[in-house]
Amino acid sequence: MAANVAGMGMAGVASVLAARLLGPQGRGQFAAIIVWASLAAALGDLGISQSCSYYSARRPQEAGRIAATSITLSITAAAVLVALLQFFGGRIFGGEAAAAAKLYLFSVPISMAVTCLTAMMLGLGYFGRFNLIKTVQAAGYVAGIGSAWAAGSMRVGGMLTGILVFQALGGLVALGCAATVIPLATWRVSVAMSRELLSYGIRTYAGNLCWLANGRLDQALLAWLVPMQELGIYAVAVSYSGLQFGVSGAIATVAFSRAARASSSEARRQELWRGLNLFTVLTLPLAAVMALLARSAITAVYGVAFAGACTPACILLLGGLFLGANYVSSNCMRADGRPGSPVLAEAGGLVVTVLALPFVLPRWGITGAAWVSAASYAATAAILAVLWMLHGKALRAQCPIARESGIPSEAL
């Protein structure tokens, strides 16, 4: 949790630096490019990173084959994506932003490979290395922006170039961490393993895309539908409210690793309740305090030009409570060998986003976008709750004594 909070803190510092140095207009361009690169990485992932965590936890003796195969698949998919997206940079962005976006797309293969290695450290239970890789990656944003500033480059392209360089260095750190626990001599690309990784991954893929779309689609559409200044203000609201995700993300991460290595479905359900209870105790007070301090904190840290981010930030803090609970619940489902179940919930939330955003954005702007995000997260949470209830009934139905007594069948 400390590592996650530190990572979110560094993301907050990077957001402040970008806002202060670029202003609302430049901050909007910067956010749009980062968002589209994230969407590209998610599009090419194919669920492979989730497969890495799952199979590393279940079959640690095959870690070398999992690492080599997953990285090969990821880099191949990323190369195809980058080649295709190079043609669309000029249509989405203009001027300097187009050139900067095309350059920053080369962060996609780096990001995808590092994500696979990070996921393996999680599945194997090496939380120290897992946290180190995540922290180094988060620090790369601060270092990249800071190096551009020190070099006198106060433009979007210069900052993105600096970030790209430090992301590459972070990739070497990730490779070094993985090599200390998975001997490089055991790294082998396997056709059989690629089939298994893709089989599990494809079942999680749609859910991952829906998850990312629910979190990023608002900013992606804002890049087209509102002035860049408005997007810059909204990006600040997202950055501020996202600080609470450092807590919920840590809980969800540990819940997945523990649940994937648990011996039964009932034990994995216990990990779910443990994670949700801890999430509630920690995030509710944090969200309340952040909402009370939003106006003073945003204007003091980001500047008076970003005062319009206060209301969207408070709305997103509310939505973040649902988002964090969804993360914990979905991770436990995937660890239980049911990667397709969260897809239904995420798809339900995405339907809310897709239908509501085009109607809301022209009328209520970034405040409406924040409300749509909160509603989408709430809809996803409701569907996940129903799925868990149905799963519990199915477990009890497996044993006649369980049906009569209410005792979980696996406990009997």
Side-chain angles (χ1 to χ4, degrees):
M1 188 173 295
N4 239 31
V5 171
M8 296 301 296
M10 284 185 281
V13 171
S15 176
V16 171
L17 287 174
R20 288 284 190 178
L21 296 174
L22 297 174
Q25 175 77 13
R27 182 65 179 86
Q29 292 178 336
F30 182 86
I33 294 170
I34 295 290
V35 166
W36 279 96
S38 298
L39 288 172
L43 186 64
D45 180 79
L46 300 177
I48 294 171
S49 59
Q50 293 283 349
S51 297
C52 287
S53 291
Y54 181 76
Y55 283 109
S56 296
R58 296 295 179 93
R59 294 173 1 207
Q61 70 277 7
E62 299 184 42
R65 292 202 306 146
I66 295 171
T69 306
S70 63
I71 290 177
T72 300
L73 290 172
S74 295
I75 292 179
T76 301
V80 174
L81 268 176
V82 170
L84 290 174
L85 292 175
Q86 288 292 331
F87 294 103
F88 295 100
R91 297 183 181 181
I92 301 173
F93 310 100
E96 178 202 2
K102 290 182 178 180
L103 174 64
Y104 190 71
L105 282 175
F106 288 102
S107 70
V108 174
I110 298 172
S111 173
M112 290 172 61
V114 170
T115 299
C116 288
L117 295 175
T118 309
M120 289 199 65
M121 297 301 99
L122 170 62
L124 293 169
Y126 289 103
F127 287 103
R129 291 170 177 81
F130 172 82
N131 289 326
L132 175 60
I133 296 171
K134 286 185 62 179
T135 303
V136 169
Q137 288 296 109
Y141 286 88
V142 179
I145 295 173
S147 63
W149 176 47
S153 179
M154 307 284 286
R155 303 170 72 87
V156 173
M159 291 185 181
L160 290 173
T161 300
I163 292 173
L164 181 59
V165 170
F166 281 96
Q167 282 182 334
L169 294 175
L172 295 177
V173 172
L175 182 61
C177 287
T180 61
V181 296
I182 310 172
L184 292 177
T186 67
W187 290 40
R188 297 284 187 277
V189 176
S190 166
V191 175
M193 179 56 67
S194 67
R195 286 196 294 265
E196 291 191 76
L197 291 173
L198 288 171
S199 175
Y200 180 94
I202 290 299
R203 287 181 286 162
T204 70
Y205 182 56
N208 291 342
L209 288 182
C210 291
W211 170 275
L212 188 67
N214 282 334
R216 299 285 192 172
L217 188 60
D218 49 359
Q219 294 184 67
L221 290 180
L222 283 168
W224 280 342
L225 301 177
V226 302
M228 282 295 175
Q229 180 176 351
E230 287 289 297
L231 176 56
I233 292 172
Y234 188 74
V236 165
V238 172
S239 296
Y240 179 79
S241 62
L243 293 175
Q244 71 173 346
F245 199 67
V247 177
S248 55
I251 296 170
T253 296
V254 176
F256 178 90
S257 184
R258 291 174 61 92
R261 289 177 285 148
S263 59
S264 67
S265 289
E266 185 60 32
R268 286 185 276 274
R269 287 176 67 84
Q270 291 299 320
E271 293 298 337
L272 167 68
W273 293 117
R274 180 183 298 177
L276 289 178
N277 288 336
L278 184 59
F279 166 80
T280 302
V281 170
L282 294 179
T283 56
L284 281 178
L286 177 62
V289 171
M290 290 181 67
L292 290 173
L293 298 177
R295 182 165 297 278
S296 57
I298 289 175
T299 54
V301 175
Y302 291 93
V304 178
F306 292 92
C310 300
T311 299
C314 291
I315 299 169
L316 290 172
L317 282 169
L318 172 63
L321 297 175
F322 294 107
L323 181 64
N326 296 345
Y327 195 8
V328 176
S329 183
S330 296
N331 267 12
C332 289
M333 279 186 174
R334 295 185 183 104
D336 194 33
R338 297 184 290 137
S341 296
V343 175
L344 299 174
E346 296 297 340
L350 183 59
V351 168
V352 173
T353 300
V354 171
L355 293 180
L357 269 181
F359 173 78
V360 166
L361 284 179
R363 293 166 175 80
W364 297 289
I366 60 176
T367 301
W371 277 116
V372 170
S373 293
S376 172
Y377 304 151
T380 301
I383 298 172
L384 284 170
V386 171
L387 292 175
W388 273 110
M389 289 173 60
L390 294 175
H391 181 61
K393 290 180 179 179
L395 285 179
R396 289 192 294 273
Q398 293 173 5
C399 177
I401 300 177
R403 289 198 301 268
E404 297 171 4
S405 64
I407 301 174
S409 59
E410 296 192 26
L412 294 173

